[in-house]
Amino acid sequence: MKTIQFREAIQQAMSEEMRKDDTIYLMGEEVAEYNGAYKASKGMLDEFGPERVIDTPISELGFSGIGIGSAMNGNRPIIEFMTFNFALVGIDQIINNAAKMRQMSGGQFNIPIVFRGPTGSAGQLAATHSQAFESWFANCPGLKVIVPSNPYDAKGLLKAAIRDDDPVIFMESEQMYGDKGEVPEEEYIIPIGVADIKREGTDVTIVSFGKIIKEAYKAADELEKDGISCEIIDLRTVRPLDYEAIYKSVKKTNRLVILEEAWPFGNVATEITYQVQENAFDYLDAPIIKINTADTPAPYSPELLKNWLPNSEDVVKAVKKVLYK
């Protein structure tokens, strides 16, 4: 095992796959000459050249469409968005072409493409640069959506995404690129659609994903001081979603709290809540609680942002509520 940063895990996954398959290329704003906006493609231009590591104009609709067209012609593009907020400019290509082309062509065209970049808030970036769109993309049939929370998961899942024959939305975080974690030096793949129990527990299940899961870890440490044992599930993939892992845990703990960095209306937590009450209702000893951002655009003010985002205190309160404490 070697300790590396999240950005290095992303770079290693892309580079290792590109060395094996010359149909794979990386395209996006500042991915080449600048080594990536967050240095997640550092050194790749030098190794693979400008035909496979391609800087683009500021035109997400254009280079998303180019990537989809090249995927239809036998390539396996990796399209980087400087932030998924900018993916809204190219969402017509993602939703109407990437997600639907296999069905509309009667299976004649697979679209093996990865759209990757940071999601969610990243400090004081204000309303239009702090949005979490995981549930938007997960809502669309034909797309797979991955949101890793650490370097190990990021590398294994990105390699799986690049090898997948369907379009994959791979969502990172600007606030995680510097995070460090142990990653095997030998090759490994993490299958898409398999959640991971990050912490075993008996009293309550906490489900989360992406960078916000760190608040669940903080809360679990605090709750442990009061003798409360939390089981934490990292979804890793939100489409397809590993419902069975959640059901199994809820049947053990009988309580569920869901932590998600997203607006409260119609998100991933809402879907999980419905599925658990449909398929594991008799095992619940308390209503499910979901924790989300405030139902407003993200504020710029640091104090307002602190109150807008979910935090460990919110998780502690929710866990105590489902335990009637």
Side-chain angles (χ1 to χ4, degrees):
M1 302 286 278
K2 186 176 181 181
T3 300
I4 63 173
Q5 291 185 330
F6 192 103
R7 58 169 58 88
E8 293 176 278
I10 297 295
Q11 189 270 352
Q12 286 183 12
M14 293 190 294
S15 295
E16 288 174 14
E17 294 305 302
M18 287 174 69
R19 291 180 193 123
K20 296 174 187 174
D21 185 347
D22 60 12
T23 68
I24 302 169
Y25 67 90
L26 173 66
M27 179 165 60
E29 297 155 2
E30 299 185 352
V31 299
E33 296 287 347
Y34 193 65
N35 286 310
Y38 311 104
K39 300 299 179 277
S41 54
K42 186 176 181 180
M44 291 179 65
L45 175 62
D46 293 338
E47 179 174 356
F48 299 105
E51 291 187 352
R52 296 185 66 198
V53 182
I54 306 165
D55 277 332
T56 68
I58 302 174
S59 180
E60 286 79 9
L61 181 67
F63 63 76
S64 296
I66 289 170
I68 293 165
S70 73
M72 293 173 68
N73 282 278
N75 291 303
R76 307 184 79 87
I78 305 167
I79 305 299
E80 178 178 312
F81 296 121
M82 196 177 294
T83 159
F84 262 96
N85 295 277
F86 301 159
L88 297 189
V89 182
I91 201 168
D92 176 53
Q93 289 288 349
I94 298 171
I95 300 297
N96 282 329
N97 290 324
K100 297 180 174 65
M101 190 57 66
R102 185 171 185 177
Q103 177 177 314
M104 292 194 301
S105 69
Q108 294 179 78
F109 291 107
N110 290 336
I111 309 294
I113 188 170
V114 176
F115 298 98
R116 51 157 293 269
T119 183
S121 63
Q124 291 178 258
L125 297 184
T128 61
H129 289 63
S130 304
Q131 302 166 107
F133 292 121
E134 294 89 343
S135 60
W136 284 34
F137 291 110
N139 181 260
C140 181
L143 298 176
K144 297 176 181 177
V145 182
I146 298 171
V147 194
S149 67
N150 60 79
Y152 174 85
D153 288 353
K155 183 175 181 180
L157 285 164
L158 183 52
K159 289 171 76 73
I162 293 168
R163 296 183 188 188
D164 201 283
D165 286 333
D166 292 312
V168 179
I169 307 294
F170 193 93
M171 309 180 94
E172 303 153 16
S173 169
E174 292 164 64
Q175 293 185 325
M176 289 199 302
Y177 284 119
D179 287 1
K180 294 182 178 180
E182 289 190 336
V183 173
E185 296 192 54
E186 67 274 10
E187 181 173 271
Y188 69 99
I189 301 287
I190 296 175
I192 296 172
V194 179
D196 188 34
I197 297 177
K198 298 297 188 186
R199 181 173 180 144
E200 298 272 357
T202 56
D203 295 326
V204 60
T205 299
I206 303 174
V207 173
S208 189
F209 59 91
K211 79 171 189 291
I212 203 70
I213 199 172
K214 295 177 185 179
E215 299 301 316
Y217 298 145
K218 293 178 191 175
D221 288 340
E222 188 65 28
L223 288 160
E224 191 173 37
K225 297 174 185 176
D226 294 331
I228 298 170
S229 172
C230 300
E231 180 147 295
I232 300 177
I233 297 178
D234 187 342
L235 292 178
R236 303 196 293 197
T237 303
V238 300
R239 178 80 171 222
L241 204 152
D242 190 354
Y243 294 110
E244 290 302 323
I246 301 170
Y247 301 155
K248 184 177 180 181
S249 180
V250 168
K251 289 176 181 179
K252 177 173 70 171
T253 68
N254 309 118
R255 293 168 175 85
L256 176 61
V257 171
I258 310 164
L259 172 64
E260 178 186 4
E261 183 182 339
W263 296 307
F265 186 92
N267 50 41
V268 175
T270 305
E271 170 65 12
I272 293 171
T273 299
Y274 171 78
Q275 293 294 342
V276 171
Q277 69 83 29
E278 174 72 10
N279 295 286
F281 179 80
D282 290 341
Y283 293 90
L284 289 171
D285 287 342
I288 298 166
I289 294 180
K290 66 188 191 78
I291 306 168
N292 300 112
T293 67
D295 197 14
T296 69
Y300 174 76
S301 158
E303 282 303 311
L304 289 176
L305 184 64
K306 182 180 177 182
N307 286 281
W308 182 80
L309 273 170
N311 58 46
S312 60
E313 292 180 8
D314 297 326
V315 180
V316 169
K317 290 177 184 176
V319 167
K320 288 186 176 180
K321 186 173 182 180
V322 297
L323 287 167
Y324 303 108
K325 290 181 180 284

